[in-house]
Amino acid sequence: MFNTNTLHNMLNVLIALSALMIAVLLATGCTQLADGSLECSQSFIGPGYAAAGVAVLSTIKIVVNIMRDGVAGLIKPQPPVDR
């Protein structure tokens, strides 16, 4: 059987890396406006790519959780880890 815990943790890493991409956007010329939005006319990377990446990875993570534990598993307490 496929190890969903490994996939789940890999997605966590990718989501963290997507936050790093926001930092890259800022470093490549994007500026954050007073309302919190990004203005990237001076950057060669658009913020839509970062937003889409975060949305896709987060959706995959939720789907994996539902496949592994069912919809009810999204809100049930997790059992302790056995060693």
Side-chain angles (χ1 to χ4, degrees):
M1 174 155 195
F2 185 72
N3 186 343
T4 58
N5 189 48
T6 300
L7 177 60
H8 191 265
N9 288 317
M10 288 171 42
L11 289 168
N12 283 337
V13 169
L14 292 173
I15 290 167
L17 289 175
S18 64
L20 176 64
M21 186 172 174
I22 299 299
V24 169
L25 287 173
L26 293 172
T28 61
C30 292
T31 55
Q32 186 172 7
L33 304 177
D35 66 356
S37 62
L38 290 177
E39 195 287 309
C40 292
S41 61
Q42 301 300 315
S43 177
F44 59 90
I45 304 170
Y49 292 113
V54 171
V56 167
L57 294 171
S58 298
T59 301
I60 292 170
K61 186 175 170 187
I62 291 169
V63 168
V64 167
N65 284 348
I66 291 171
M67 288 172 43
R68 180 178 62 187
D69 302 325
V71 175
L74 294 175
I75 58 172
K76 75 177 183 181
Q78 294 297 309
V81 176
D82 291 331
R83 293 191 185 252

